[in-house]
Amino acid sequence: MFRFWKEMDKSRRSLLLICYFAFFCNGSVALIMGSVMPDLKAAYSLNDTLSGLFISAHSIGNMAAGFLSGLVPLYLGERRSIILLSGLAFLGLLMMLFFGDPVWLFIAFVLTGFGRGSVTSFNNRTVNRITDGSPAASNLLHGAFAIGAILTPVVFLFLSNAISWQAGVLAVVVCGSISLINFSRMKLEKEYPDRKDKTNSTLRFLKNPSFLILAGMMFCYLCSEYSINGWLVTYIQNKRELVSAFGLDGEELTAAIRSYSQTMATLLWAIMLVGRLGCAWLSSRIHQKKLMLASSVGIAAFFIMMLNASSIPAVTLSVAGLGLCMAGVCPMIYSDAAIFTNAYPMATSCLLGIGSVGAILMPVIVGSLADSLGFGGGMSAILVTVILLFVFALLNTVIRTRQPD
């Protein structure tokens, strides 16, 4: 499982750890979006459609970063680029504290997505390169993301109760500042890519069916992940059958459902952490294509269960099952695509960019449908992409991988 670590020198190990901590911070940025949304809605009088639009704005920034973060280093260098671009995420979070106007909030969410997407592109590209596409290293990278995602709702809930919701957001900003310092100190083998080398900017891998299948998987997965992350807390707080199951009313009910919904966000990522560690171990024994196919079946089963669950134990079990099955899909897509990303720097950016298109569309679709059909109807739209994820995972398993030109 840790063979890749033993084969690395001290400099590469240091760079790997910097990437892991940056992904820990990325997990915090991702989950703070869903955790803070009810407070933003209350503080700035936002409706569900606007809230869904802001979650999609985060994905718009993420998509833009996917396509641009691979080109910026050609002009600014790797170190300057990642410091500048990743810092935008924490600038966006600070803007949420002081600007309640929808236009400014939209810009803030775009900046958080751009910063997060830049780190995603840089980290996955770097880890794949220095570990020769190790599935274990990729799963551990995304495991660090899960740790940040696990801790953020808990820390946010504690600080929002003890101080204010603004304090919870500031905690993520402080964490991100440490990551920026780490990036400024990292040692890179090649600071400036060669602009004359056409492989640094070519998109010819988009003609390869194997890459397009992986991109389709990323599209469907990010549709599901972003929508579930962004709306899970709000969905649970508005699920009438579940609210009545608490047997409380007034302030006690409000406190109980708020605490439970944030706990479910933490549980989702706690189980995802366990799942990613498990996938890191299993990937040396079972081919990752088969693991992704099995995971896609589980995602569909537990998501359907969550939509139909009306009791606290059933919702809890479905959320845990979702976390376990979702855990390894994204890191294994990146790892499976290493034959493309190691050959073409823009492949990682395009993989993220194509996936982010889905992450843009689905949250706003969920929010719009929730306004007219309720959150049950809104969340049901995600089922379409969950089923398509299975179709692409099946194609990825049965169709022989075509090597890049």
Side-chain angles (χ1 to χ4, degrees):
M1 176 178 173
F2 296 105
R3 186 176 61 184
F4 69 90
W5 179 264
K6 297 177 182 178
E7 295 174 350
M8 299 170 68
D9 57 29
K10 184 178 180 180
S11 177
R12 292 193 172 193
R13 288 179 181 177
S14 176
L15 181 56
L16 187 66
L17 292 176
I18 288 173
C19 288
Y20 281 1
F21 183 77
F23 236 45
F24 167 85
C25 297
N26 245 25
S28 296
V29 172
L31 264 289
I32 198 68
M33 299 295 105
S35 295
V36 78
M37 187 57 72
D39 294 288
L40 288 177
K41 287 176 63 179
Y44 302 131
S45 301
L46 307 173
N47 59 32
D48 291 328
T49 300
L50 267 180
S51 300
L53 181 62
F54 292 150
I55 295 173
S56 291
H58 176 82
S59 300
I60 289 172
N62 201 34
M63 181 187 68
F67 290 116
L68 296 177
S69 61
L71 295 174
V72 175
L74 295 176
Y75 301 91
L76 298 181
E78 291 279 5
R79 189 194 315 275
R80 290 179 181 176
S81 296
I82 192 58
I83 293 172
L84 173 64
L85 298 179
S86 63
L88 295 177
F90 310 107
L91 174 61
L93 290 176
L94 288 174
M95 288 175 64
M96 293 179 193
L97 304 181
F98 303 106
F99 301 101
D101 181 80
V103 174
W104 283 104
L105 283 175
F106 184 88
I107 294 172
F109 273 85
V110 169
L111 291 178
T112 60
F114 203 101
R116 179 187 166 196
S118 298
V119 173
T120 299
S121 180
F122 175 83
N123 280 9
N124 280 287
R125 185 173 67 249
T126 302
V127 170
N128 264 346
R129 186 180 71 248
I130 65 178
T131 66
D132 296 322
S134 167
S138 185
N139 270 288
L140 291 175
L141 173 69
H142 288 259
F145 181 99
I147 295 174
I150 291 166
L151 295 178
T152 297
V154 176
V155 173
F156 177 80
L157 182 62
F158 172 77
L159 290 176
S160 61
N161 288 335
I163 306 175
S164 66
W165 64 269
Q166 290 91 338
V169 175
L170 283 173
V172 178
V173 174
V174 171
C175 180
S177 300
I178 298 173
S179 179
L180 293 179
I181 294 172
N182 288 340
F183 277 139
S184 69
R185 296 175 176 176
M186 66 181 175
K187 296 180 180 179
L188 298 172
E189 294 179 359
K190 194 174 184 180
E191 179 74 25
Y192 288 88
D194 185 1
R195 277 188 276 176
K196 295 180 181 180
D197 185 353
K198 292 184 178 180
T199 60
N200 287 322
S201 58
T202 185
L203 298 177
R204 62 186 178 189
F205 52 83
L206 290 175
K207 298 179 181 179
N208 191 305
S210 297
F211 180 85
L212 293 177
I213 289 172
L214 290 168
M217 289 182 65
M218 186 66 79
F219 175 90
C220 295
Y221 177 78
L222 290 186
C223 268
S224 306
E225 184 192 292
Y226 273 60
S227 300
I228 292 171
N229 278 335
W231 286 113
L232 180 63
V233 171
T234 309
Y235 169 69
I236 290 176
Q237 291 182 8
N238 286 272
K239 193 173 178 65
R240 294 179 180 178
E241 304 92 336
L242 185 64
V243 171
S244 61
F246 278 85
L248 301 171
D249 53 26
E251 294 183 0
E252 290 184 349
L253 176 60
T254 301
I257 194 67
R258 176 184 173 89
S259 177
Y260 176 74
S261 61
Q262 296 286 358
T263 301
M264 287 301 96
T266 299
L267 175 66
L268 178 72
W269 283 96
I271 299 298
M272 285 186 76
L273 172 61
V274 173
R276 283 174 176 172
L277 293 176
C279 285
W281 178 75
L282 284 172
S283 62
S284 62
R285 294 162 176 78
I286 303 173
H287 199 285
Q288 58 192 9
K289 291 182 183 293
K290 294 181 180 179
L291 286 176
M292 286 189 284
L293 179 60
S295 295
S296 66
V297 174
I299 291 171
F302 283 109
F303 186 74
I304 292 172
M305 179 181 177
M306 186 183 77
L307 291 178
N308 292 282
S310 58
S311 66
I312 296 174
V315 171
T316 302
L317 177 61
S318 61
V319 170
L322 266 177
L324 184 65
C325 296
M326 289 170 63
V329 176
C330 188
M332 286 190 289
I333 292 173
Y334 279 116
S335 177
D336 206 20
I339 59 172
F340 301 103
T341 59
N342 286 348
Y344 307 110
M346 285 297 294
T348 302
S349 297
C350 285
L351 197 63
L352 173 62
I354 292 170
S356 295
V357 173
I360 292 167
L361 295 175
M362 190 53 64
V364 73
I365 290 173
V366 172
S368 297
L369 290 176
D371 275 337
S372 57
L373 302 176
F375 272 98
M379 294 292 281
S380 296
I382 303 172
L383 186 58
V384 175
T385 57
V386 169
I387 294 173
L388 286 175
L389 174 63
F390 164 74
V391 173
F392 280 115
L394 181 61
L395 291 174
N396 189 48
T397 303
V398 300
I399 297 178
R400 183 176 179 180
T401 299
R402 184 181 297 181
Q403 296 295 318
D405 298 332

